[in-house]
Amino acid sequence: MTTQNFTSLPQELQLATSAHVKYIQSLDSRKDEYDYWLTEHLRLNGLYWGLTALHLLGHPEALPRAETIDFVLSCQHENGGFGAAPGHDAHMLSTVSAVQILAMVDAFDDLETRGRGKAQVGKYIASLQNRQTGTFAGDEWGEEDTRFLYGAFNALSLLGLLHLVDVDKAVDHIAACANFDGGYGVSPGAESHSGQIFTCVAALTIAGRKELIDVDRLGRWLSERQIAGGGLNGRPEKKEDVCYSWWVLSSLEMIGKTHWIDKEKLTNFILSSQDTDKGGISDRPGDMVDVWHTCFGIAGLSLLEYPGLEPVDEVYCMPKSTIKRVLGR
Amino acid sequence: MPPKSKAATKPSKSLFPPTNPTTTTTTSIQTTSSSEPSTEPTTVLERSQQRYEKTRPFEAARQKQGGSSKLSKEDQKGWICDQLLHLTNRLPQASRSRLLGPKASKEIWWTINGTNSIDRGLTKKPKPHSTWGTDRNGHDVGSYTIERFDERIKKRTALTALLVSSRVFRENVEREKRGDLDARSGCPVIVTEREIDDERVRRSKMAALKKELYGEITGKLAGSVEWEDVVPIPHEEPEGALAAIAYPADYAEAMSYLRAVMATKEYSHRCLRLTQHIIAMNPAHYTVWLYRAACIFALKLSIPDEIEWLNEVALANLKNYQIWHHRHLLVEHYYPTIASDPEALAQFAKQERDFLIAILSEDTKNYHVWSYRSWLVGKLGMWEDQEELKSIEALIDEDVRNNSAWSHRFFLVFSNPEYSTPGKGATEADPKCPQHIVDREVQYAQQKTYLAPQNQSPWNYMRGVLVKGGQKLASVHAFVEEFVVKLGDETGEEIRSTHALDLLAEIYAEKGETEKADLCLRRLADKWDKIRAGYWNWRRQCLQSEKKAGPEQPGEEVTVA
């Protein structure tokens, strides 16, 4: 089953590109929606998810570039870190999203001239590393999670400042999060979880230390995420969810084992989770759409080489063209 | 009013308005509609409009006719006189007489006097919406009936009275702060409890009246005496921001007060209450949690009490992870106070476990709860705690498919510092691990496998244990075979677990029986687990290349014939 024949898919199971573009564009006008203000602490992250999806759909211009840059810079603090929205305290996750957004719209110069500059951002991220354990906190209050470790590596490598942190210690910490089933958890001893696996594998890839991964065991565990309906779940005996199309698939890509799942079935599952009228993708067919699942559903389809999509970088979850421009590879 | 004539009869300044408007001098006014018998006004607007027309008949007529040029000659003159009167009325006598000679003054008075334009005339014609404004429902107050309007006036008066008293109270609060002395008694000004209570009542009355009259909603905090001294910091939204948000009023108000107290680094009980208030509206706002923790620590409040409160919030917000980080911070803070007291430690561990059991019964696989639980085991050293192990077993009994419980068991047993080598890889054999533990765990996994053979958790577990114990997979060959019946048989083949078949392939490979291993993998790829054909075929390829002792080709796609 090596060839994908997308033209043989029925009309309903095609990617509704223009609907998705409109959906993402409409997001910033849904200001009175209750859910929208409840997720204010995710606003900058939301912008990253929306922008990534647009770039992969081939419509990077759909969000206004100047306003995007203005908004991102307005979230920056004295210490270089970015908050989730203007007035919100700086946090690792929003800082990473900020760097990714600026990379995609090619605005590092603006960061230098109008923002606090790359060096200051790097300094902020580096300050969040726990120098004893090697792991990273999300903010000054110290919640530690391998997501922050991956985020730090992601942003610092894009800024060319990975040397600011103790990479080896961080790598040791990741190794300590490895489990008996081949997977990785949020912290040592925690259950293997696809999301955490992605962060650990991607961080190891950026650090050039993939040899620490038990590839066969992990690949086996990841392949087992695909359930009968074709979708992927996050842990054994859990429901399938479109966002795992990214976390699991990109992990498989990084260890070179994407052929260990049925790609066509996964493609069908993602496409069935679209709202082809109003746009957007949900966690599984029939549920409400949101920008998070839209981003990762499209990223998953890009990894599956769905025609018409820009290639996505499996480590950074950004367009390969951006990574090529920023890192020169 | 007597017919106008230039005869020198002294005009008498009429003190009374004409009883019948039809007796006014000018015929055209007579014929305009304002001279029709007046109907009783039903609304305030009508009343004022009638009054306007009575007292400013020339101006009213001019407006109605559409300009002074449309008026009759007499009415034009009347209008000019009315205008002159109004223009000069407020001037001092001397200036007035300079502008208007005695003859002109007399004439003006003759013309206008009966209308009482100056005494009772309205300067502007009453208009809907603009004269009295709109009420809270957007209706023109001018459209109110007279009675309803009077009631409104009464309420406005009451509100004004309350505002005055409230201002007195606020001034007294300021004076008390400054240490001012009361002018009469000479003693320092104090604000009594009674006065505060009275002010509270007053404030709620004011808020109610404001809402009724103007639809204004007074925020709970802005209206409360407790927050009197704090100037809230409203949210700064950059102009035309991408993705701007409209907040509900309550939340916006509470956040503006939070910003204010965070700016001054106030850690007090009222701040604690404020964080609780905000958390109730938006438990995902992480800054609020961090600030709450700061208050708890600064006020040196009882951590167990806070945890009790937190339990309720956790049960109501199962998907929230800030709650668990908050708990983590609390326990970190609390631990040093009980670390040297084994009884207190045991007691605390039990309390924690009881709650974890309760919340897991609501959401058995909650990742944040489980990762907190594994952290707690390490922090409180619960490795040998039999209750912990029993609790996990109970969960697995309830649902053998609970992978989180299996994962926690592995951690509890094999990360026990008693028999684990620090730094050993998770999938590496650990010689420190005692055989009896390995045997016990393998047994346990096998028992549970029978309950649901296709459930992957006990299979992963058993395999993980064997690897940890450095034991050959073949040691469980007999067990695995129980799930694979008549392998390769066209009609009678029965596979009760694909995981068994997977493990069987590994066992055959371990034993060097490559053909049988290949058969297992082929059956998986072709029939029993087609969705993972890519993986099974890769395994087959590995077998072949191991046989040839050649290098593996990772990542190569295999075409299935």
Side-chain angles (χ1 to χ4, degrees):
Chain A
M1 201 179 7
T2 54
T3 51
Q4 327 290 342
N5 191 356
F6 293 106
T7 51
S8 65
L9 289 171
Q11 187 62 34
E12 320 80 77
L13 280 192
Q14 308 271 350
L15 183 62
T17 303
S18 47
H20 296 318
V21 171
K22 287 212 187 71
Y23 167 73
I24 295 168
Q25 286 177 313
S26 77
L27 285 171
D28 79 316
S29 60
R30 295 147 84 105
K31 301 160 200 174
D32 340 326
E33 282 183 16
Y34 186 72
D35 281 346
Y36 204 63
W37 70 263
L38 271 183
T39 53
E40 183 203 27
H41 58 288
L42 295 173
R43 242 201 298 176
L44 195 51
N45 306 305
L47 186 56
Y48 157 71
W49 298 324
L51 194 62
T52 304
L54 287 174
H55 274 249
L56 296 177
L57 288 166
H59 286 268
E61 78 299 337
L63 281 181
R65 180 175 181 273
E67 268 125 308
T68 302
I69 299 172
D70 288 345
F71 177 74
V72 171
L73 293 177
S74 76
C75 297
Q76 193 172 29
H77 287 252
E78 286 269 343
N79 60 14
F82 291 78
H88 273 235
D89 289 345
H91 193 275
M92 174 71 83
L93 293 178
S94 27
T95 303
V96 175
S97 289
V99 172
Q100 290 177 299
I101 294 168
L102 293 174
M104 279 192 277
V105 300
D106 197 1
F108 278 166
D109 287 341
D110 294 70
L111 181 58
E112 286 304 315
T113 53
R114 291 162 52 199
R116 308 272 168 196
K118 296 199 290 199
Q120 192 64 15
V121 180
K123 203 163 153 211
Y124 169 75
I125 296 176
S127 75
L128 291 171
Q129 182 172 34
N130 179 330
R131 298 282 164 164
Q132 269 90 51
T133 59
T135 189
F136 284 76
D139 55 26
E140 54 181 337
W141 291 87
E143 179 199 354
E144 290 175 355
D145 187 324
T146 48
R147 286 180 301 154
F148 307 143
L149 196 162
Y150 160 69
F153 277 21
N154 179 319
L156 288 173
S157 59
L158 288 175
L159 295 169
L161 297 170
L162 196 55
H163 57 273
L164 289 182
V165 294
D166 190 341
V167 174
D168 290 336
K169 256 246 144 69
V171 167
D172 286 345
H173 178 84
I174 296 175
C177 293
N179 289 322
F180 65 95
D181 50 14
Y184 294 84
V186 67
S187 45
E191 188 186 1
S192 300
H193 184 285
S194 300
Q196 307 300 146
I197 287 170
F198 165 78
T199 61
C200 293
V201 172
L204 288 174
T205 306
I206 295 175
R209 301 292 305 276
K210 275 203 281 201
E211 81 282 356
L212 291 174
I213 304 173
D214 186 339
V215 169
D216 294 350
R217 237 351 62 210
L218 177 59
R220 170 79 183 100
W221 190 93
L222 288 170
S223 74
E224 208 52 54
R225 295 308 104 240
Q226 189 164 35
I227 62 181
L232 308 174
N233 62 20
R235 294 180 270 168
E237 301 296 329
K238 297 276 280 178
K239 283 206 214 153
E240 50 196 352
D241 186 324
V242 159
C243 67
Y244 293 114
S245 316
W246 172 259
W247 310 122
V248 172
L249 198 56
S250 58
S251 303
L252 284 169
E253 180 78 33
M254 285 187 268
I255 57 175
K257 305 292 186 197
T258 51
H259 56 291
W260 285 8
I261 59 153
D262 184 328
K263 295 189 191 180
E264 199 177 308
K265 283 201 162 165
L266 178 58
T267 304
N268 280 9
F269 174 74
I270 301 174
L271 292 172
S272 310
S273 306
Q274 300 177 94
D275 181 337
T276 48
D277 293 321
K278 304 212 193 87
I281 300 180
S282 66
D283 57 358
R284 60 188 71 89
D287 281 356
M288 282 284 294
V289 305
D290 61 56
V291 67
W292 157 278
H293 290 97
T294 306
C295 170
F296 295 116
I298 289 170
L301 286 172
S302 172
L303 275 180
L304 292 164
E305 296 175 311
Y306 189 88
L309 291 177
E310 287 294 307
V312 68
D313 184 292
E314 66 275 13
V315 176
Y316 290 89
C317 193
M318 290 159 68
K320 268 199 163 37
S321 55
T322 304
I323 302 304
K324 186 150 185 230
R325 175 176 28 88
V326 175
L327 297 181
R329 51 147 239 231
Chain B
M1 185 114 179
K4 199 164 67 79
S5 76
K6 287 203 169 158
T9 23
K10 272 215 155 111
S12 53
K13 186 172 171 181
S14 169
L15 296 172
F16 304 104
T19 48
N20 188 347
T22 52
T23 59
T24 48
T25 41
T26 50
T27 48
S28 36
I29 289 287
Q30 216 165 354
T31 57
T32 54
S33 54
S34 59
S35 61
E36 280 159 15
S38 55
T39 51
E40 269 307 302
T42 50
T43 70
V44 170
L45 182 67
E46 271 173 32
R47 182 173 69 175
S48 288
Q49 279 172 336
Q50 285 184 9
R51 194 170 131 209
Y52 183 77
E53 280 162 17
K54 265 193 208 158
T55 57
R56 307 283 304 276
F58 299 104
E59 179 58 27
R62 185 191 76 95
Q63 286 181 12
K64 217 166 227 149
Q65 300 297 323
S68 48
S69 52
K70 304 260 173 52
L71 296 172
S72 67
K73 277 274 182 276
E74 286 90 357
D75 285 351
Q76 275 182 7
K77 189 170 174 197
W79 180 74
I80 292 168
C81 293
D82 183 65
Q83 290 297 301
L84 282 171
L85 198 61
H86 275 269
L87 283 169
T88 60
N89 184 50
R90 289 207 183 83
L91 296 175
Q93 175 68 33
S95 319
R96 213 179 356 197
S97 38
R98 243 182 291 130
L99 284 169
L100 300 172
K103 217 171 165 190
S105 299
K106 276 184 208 163
E107 246 189 88
I108 287 168
W109 276 106
W110 279 339
T111 321
I112 299 307
N113 204 27
T115 64
N116 264 303
S117 172
I118 284 294
D119 293 333
R120 302 169 78 89
L122 300 173
T123 325
K124 285 208 183 99
K125 183 173 168 131
K127 274 196 205 144
H129 286 283
S130 36
T131 307
W132 293 276
T134 46
D135 67 12
R136 75 166 203 240
N137 295 317
H139 299 140
D140 173 29
V141 174
S143 68
Y144 280 20
T145 61
I146 315 279
E147 294 91 63
R148 196 172 166 208
F149 184 75
D150 287 344
E151 270 168 41
R152 187 175 173 89
I153 293 294
K154 273 201 208 120
K155 287 191 183 130
R156 287 181 58 175
T157 314
L159 179 60
T160 307
L162 290 169
L163 282 165
V164 168
S165 303
S166 184
R167 193 170 62 224
V168 169
F169 172 83
R170 281 176 228 243
E171 276 169 13
N172 280 339
V173 170
E174 284 306 308
R175 289 167 72 201
E176 186 185 42
K177 273 207 192 116
R178 289 196 298 260
D180 287 2
L181 299 178
D182 181 69
R184 265 180 295 171
S185 64
C187 304
V189 171
I190 46 163
V191 177
T192 63
E193 274 302 314
R194 175 69 193 274
E195 282 167 355
I196 293 175
D197 286 340
D198 285 347
E199 175 68 9
R200 280 210 182 95
V201 171
R202 202 174 297 132
R203 298 252 176 124
S204 60
K205 281 191 190 155
M206 279 161 55
L209 279 169
K210 278 191 194 164
K211 182 156 182 217
E212 216 186 308
L213 289 169
Y214 311 118
E216 257 176 48
I217 307 211
T218 312
K220 266 202 301 233
L221 296 169
S224 79
V225 179
E226 191 186 28
W227 289 94
E228 189 60 51
D229 61 311
V230 175
V231 179
I233 301 177
H235 183 63
E236 283 299 315
E237 191 79 55
E239 266 306 304
L242 205 72
I245 288 176
Y247 297 101
D250 268 1
Y251 182 73
E253 198 204 14
M255 284 308 299
S256 64
Y257 275 85
L258 184 75
R259 267 177 228 113
V261 293
M262 280 177 75
T264 58
K265 292 200 183 350
E266 181 187 325
Y267 302 118
S268 65
H269 282 275
R270 70 173 177 184
C271 294
L272 201 64
R273 279 194 292 277
L274 182 61
T275 61
Q276 182 165 341
H277 179 54
I278 296 176
I279 284 165
M281 289 187 281
N282 186 5
H285 198 296
Y286 69 89
T287 311
V288 166
W289 283 105
L290 301 177
Y291 189 65
R292 184 179 175 90
C295 286
I296 303 273
F297 298 152
L299 294 168
K300 297 190 175 24
L301 297 178
S302 152
I303 303 285
D305 284 351
E306 171 70 0
I307 289 183
E308 231 186 271
W309 172 81
L310 191 63
N311 289 348
E312 292 312 309
V313 184
L315 285 167
N317 294 280
L318 292 171
K319 291 300 165 202
N320 179 303
Y321 66 89
Q322 280 94 0
I323 290 175
W324 293 94
H325 181 60
H326 186 67
R327 201 183 189 99
H328 183 119
L329 287 177
L330 293 172
V331 174
E332 284 280 15
H333 193 89
Y334 184 58
Y335 181 73
T337 64
I338 55 169
S340 45
D341 183 347
E343 241 191 73
L345 266 177
Q347 167 75 346
F348 184 65
K350 180 177 185 322
Q351 276 176 301
E352 282 300 284
R353 185 180 20 263
D354 285 345
F355 177 68
L356 290 169
I357 290 171
I359 197 162
L360 283 172
S361 68
E362 302 282 331
D363 187 6
T364 56
K365 300 178 186 178
N366 188 315
Y367 195 76
H368 310 300
V369 180
W370 280 109
S371 54
Y372 171 80
R373 191 168 190 167
S374 48
W375 171 78
L376 196 68
V377 164
K379 184 79 192 174
L380 302 183
M382 290 152 71
W383 307 104
E384 296 295 326
D385 193 329
Q386 286 311 300
E387 288 304 319
E388 182 69 7
L389 190 63
K390 266 199 239 162
S391 151
I392 303 302
E393 284 177 5
L395 281 167
I396 292 178
D397 284 343
E398 246 177 64
D399 178 12
V400 72
R401 292 184 170 83
N402 189 336
N403 194 63
S404 310
W406 281 101
S407 178
H408 189 77
R409 186 189 174 100
F410 196 94
F411 169 71
L412 190 61
V413 172
F414 293 100
S415 294
N416 187 336
E418 266 292 303
Y419 28 79
S420 66
T421 315
K424 265 286 179 192
T427 51
E428 251 187 288
D430 191 347
K432 204 170 167 199
C433 188
Q435 189 57 45
H436 74 273
I437 295 286
V438 174
D439 291 340
R440 182 190 78 188
E441 295 302 304
V442 167
Q443 260 258 47
Y444 182 77
Q446 289 182 348
Q447 259 173 37
K448 299 303 173 190
T449 307
Y450 290 117
L451 298 173
Q454 190 54 31
N455 174 25
Q456 56 195 271
S457 301
W459 287 103
N460 283 345
Y461 192 86
M462 184 177 74
R463 203 187 175 286
V465 173
L466 292 170
V467 167
K468 213 18 101 190
Q471 207 161 297
K472 284 225 175 292
L473 298 176
S475 64
V476 297
H477 190 156
F479 168 73
V480 175
E481 290 239 275
E482 292 179 48
F483 300 90
V484 176
V485 177
K486 296 210 178 124
L487 178 64
D489 187 322
E490 278 303 308
T491 46
E493 187 182 65
E494 203 189 303
I495 305 298
R496 297 192 193 126
S497 170
T498 56
H499 309 297
L501 200 45
D502 174 13
L503 191 52
L504 192 57
E506 276 193 275
I507 289 170
Y508 281 135
E510 203 182 62
K511 287 180 164 174
E513 295 177 58
T514 331
E515 289 305 317
K516 286 190 179 160
D518 189 72
L519 175 62
C520 292
L521 297 170
R522 240 181 21 248
R523 295 310 292 149
L524 282 163
D526 293 345
K527 179 167 181 189
W528 296 102
D529 198 23
K530 290 204 280 212
I531 208 170
R532 269 164 280 276
Y535 173 66
W536 303 122
N537 287 312
W538 174 83
R539 285 271 295 273
R540 291 179 64 201
Q541 199 197 13
C542 288
L543 279 178
Q544 299 310 315
S545 44
E546 267 162 29
K547 217 165 121 188
K548 293 188 204 140
E552 275 176 27
Q553 304 297 320
E556 230 178 65
E557 295 200 15
V558 179
T559 35
V560 179

